[in-house]
């Protein structure tokens, strides 16, 4: 049994413009200790998927279907009380903006202590000790002295370390990290990513790592799920995805990533934009942007199927793509080549 199993998840927002199908038939799983990258363009549903796992979808949003199982437990039918216990206890979360995650009127130490207090029956002195230890673990210098500082006395990078401390204080099994470094500058980002990597190793922590940065995901994750318009269009171990993408969308995404040393002007970019999720195109949602689209693609929604080339990979179910090329319904071939530069 995987640590987290998400099956056919549907999340919709009921807005004045119509029903936004933000997540639509999404399935993926995360094994214990595994780092799963979730990538895709803005609006693909990456954040909504993470919030749904945490039971944090509020009106006008609703989870309309599917299953979220964490250690076998069905989280979609869990009580609010149980969900509060899971959040911050067994599942930690870190979002993009540390300023939003931290409360300006409480000291950083108190904020870490509060998550421990909410989850354990420890005595106050032990809670404080554990908060100091956690701040130390995430690389806050002089944690005992800085315990009583307020968030505004910390830099952005240090604030994000404090957020990580609140997420990790109770030793979760899973961390949902949504663009945790996007608001930070590059050197600070590198430090946080390295820290995440070390902590994940040390504590056998599984991570759902949401990012728009394919390079960061390549360095940080074991497996990747590529989302497009609310669905998973490709899932694979990270190396297979990068060296041998199977879905035209993934290939387009990779081609549009400027690489160091590459001639940027000559790189193709992904034309067009993501459809309005109130009114998704029929058939394959990617067909209006796909250079290989045929008539069948406008009619049939491609299922996520095995796209591997070897029988062993097929048995392991390790590389999957949602494209009619892999169901035998296309007459042409997908003849894209991805040039990988190191
Ligand atoms: N509260 C809300 N009300 C209405 N629509 C929403 C709400 N939250 C998200 N959506 C819609 O759900 C879709 C998915 O949004 P989501 O934030 O998950 O995208 P994302 O992949 O995380 O994008 P980004 O890379 O920009 O963070 C978008 O069309 C978005 O407009
Ligand atoms: Mg997002």
């Amino acid at each position: 049994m995987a640590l987290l199993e998400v099956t056919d998840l549907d999340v919709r927002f009921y807005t004045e413009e119509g029903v936004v199908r933000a997540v639509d038939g999404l399935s993926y799983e995360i094994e214990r200790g595994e780092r799963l990258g979730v990538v895709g363009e803005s609006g693909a549903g990456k954040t909504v998927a993470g919030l749904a796992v945490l039971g944090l979808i509020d009106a006008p949003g609703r989870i309309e279907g599917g299953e979220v199982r964490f250690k076998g437990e069905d989280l979609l039918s869990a009580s609010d009380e149980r969900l509060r216990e899971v959040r911050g206890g067994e599942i930690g979360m870190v979002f993009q903006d540390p300023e939003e995650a931290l409360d300006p009127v409480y000291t950083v130490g108190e904020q870490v202590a509060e998550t421990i207090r909410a989850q354990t029956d420890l005595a106050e002195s032990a809670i404080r000790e554990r908060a100091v230890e956690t701040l130390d673990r995430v690389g806050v210098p002089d944690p005992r002295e800085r315990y009583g500082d307020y968030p505004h006395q910390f830099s952005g990078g240090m604030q994000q370390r404090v957020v990580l401390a609140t997420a990790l204080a109770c030793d979760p099994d899973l961390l949902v990290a949504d663009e945790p470094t996007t608001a930070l500058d590059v050197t600070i980002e590198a430090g946080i990513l390295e820290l995440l990597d070390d902590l994940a190793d040390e504590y056998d922590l599984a991570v759902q790592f949401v990012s728009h940065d394919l390079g960061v995901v390549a360095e940080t994750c074991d497996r990747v799920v590529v989302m497009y318009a609310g669905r998973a269009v490709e899932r694979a171990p990270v190396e297979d995805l990068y060296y041998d993408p199977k879905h035209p969308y993934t290939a387009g995404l990779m081609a549009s990533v400027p690489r160091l040393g590459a001639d940027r002007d000559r790189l193709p970019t992904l034309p067009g934009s993501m459809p309005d999720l109130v009114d998704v195109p029929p058939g394959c949602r990617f067909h209006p942007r796909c250079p290989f689209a045929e008539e069948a693609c406008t009619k049939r929604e491609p299922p996520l199927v095995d796209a591997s080339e070897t029988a062993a990979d097929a048995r392991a179910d390790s590389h999957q793509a949602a494209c009619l090329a892999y169901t035998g319904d296309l007459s042409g071939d997908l003849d894209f080549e991805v040039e990988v530069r190191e």
Side-chain angles (χ1 to χ4, degrees):
M1 179 176 57
L3 179 69
L4 178 72
E5 290 172 334
V6 172
T7 316
D8 278 331
L9 184 66
D10 283 336
V11 184
R12 299 192 181 158
F13 290 93
Y14 292 83
T15 70
E16 277 176 16
E17 288 73 44
V19 182
V20 181
R21 292 158 73 181
V23 169
D24 196 2
L26 176 68
S27 300
Y28 64 92
E29 63 276 330
I30 304 182
E31 302 292 337
R32 269 184 191 278
E34 182 180 57
R35 285 159 238 184
L36 178 77
V38 181
V39 302
E41 289 165 296
S42 188
K46 306 180 299 292
T47 294
V48 170
L51 293 174
V53 165
L54 296 160
L56 291 175
I57 299 294
D58 293 322
R62 253 196 349 236
I63 295 177
E64 299 275 271
E67 254 188 10
V68 175
R69 285 194 177 271
F70 179 65
K71 298 190 219 165
E73 180 182 356
D74 174 10
L75 288 189
L76 295 189
S77 57
S79 66
D80 287 349
E81 192 191 347
R82 174 68 190 133
L83 280 175
R84 271 195 297 275
E85 223 171 78
V86 170
R87 283 196 299 268
E90 291 147 86
I91 306 182
M93 49 198 167
V94 181
F95 295 104
Q96 180 172 339
D97 188 356
E99 269 179 59
E100 229 168 85
L102 296 172
D103 192 328
V105 306
Y106 289 98
T107 68
V108 296
E110 196 39 49
Q111 296 190 52
V112 179
E114 182 50 39
T115 67
I116 302 169
R117 196 174 291 126
Q119 301 288 338
T120 65
D121 302 320
L122 293 174
E124 276 307 306
S125 57
I127 289 173
R128 191 183 168 96
E129 213 37 52
R130 184 144 159 196
V132 170
E133 269 165 35
T134 313
L135 286 169
D136 188 42
R137 254 166 67 186
V138 300
V140 171
D142 307 320
R144 212 169 289 278
E145 288 71 50
R146 303 220 59 183
Y147 189 96
D149 284 356
Y150 290 88
H152 76 265
Q153 293 170 278
F154 280 63
S155 67
M158 274 302 149
Q159 287 182 1
Q160 196 62 312
R161 285 176 192 255
V162 174
V163 177
L164 256 178
T166 62
L168 298 177
C170 295
D171 251 327
D173 299 300
L174 174 67
L175 179 72
V176 176
D178 192 342
E179 309 261 10
T181 59
T182 330
L184 308 173
D185 77 47
V186 180
T187 36
I188 298 183
E189 170 174 56
I192 299 267
L193 291 174
E194 203 173 305
L195 171 70
L196 250 181
D197 218 38
D198 291 347
L199 292 169
D201 282 344
E202 202 178 332
Y203 295 92
D204 199 24
L205 181 69
V207 184
Q208 175 168 331
F209 187 89
V210 175
S211 179
H212 64 276
D213 188 330
L214 291 167
V216 165
V217 168
E219 275 170 42
T220 341
C221 297
D222 305 308
R223 274 193 317 126
V224 184
V225 48
V226 181
M227 284 187 74
Y228 186 77
R231 294 176 76 82
V233 295
E234 184 158 358
R235 303 195 309 195
V238 70
E239 297 220 327
D240 296 354
L241 189 98
Y242 282 73
Y243 287 95
D244 189 18
K246 298 293 188 186
H247 196 286
Y249 176 61
T250 312
L253 262 189
M254 309 236 291
S256 62
V257 179
R259 292 191 182 83
L260 215 62
D263 181 351
R264 291 190 182 199
D265 295 337
R266 291 187 47 214
L267 287 171
T269 53
L270 201 58
S273 57
M274 185 112 71
D276 180 357
L277 297 184
V278 172
D279 188 19
V280 289
C284 172
R285 286 153 205 227
F286 185 61
H287 87 257
R289 299 171 75 185
C290 183
F292 309 103
E294 296 179 8
E295 190 171 349
C297 307
T298 67
K299 301 213 161 82
R300 186 166 165 222
E301 175 118 56
L304 194 60
V305 294
D306 175 60
S308 51
E309 268 147 31
T310 68
D313 283 351
R315 274 193 302 278
D317 219 10
S318 72
H319 202 149
Q320 301 172 307
C323 172
L324 294 186
Y326 305 103
T327 59
D329 292 307
L330 278 197
S331 57
D333 284 334
L334 304 180
D335 57 348
F336 51 75
E337 253 179 48
V338 175
E339 202 180 320
V340 180
R341 292 183 186 84
E342 298 300 327

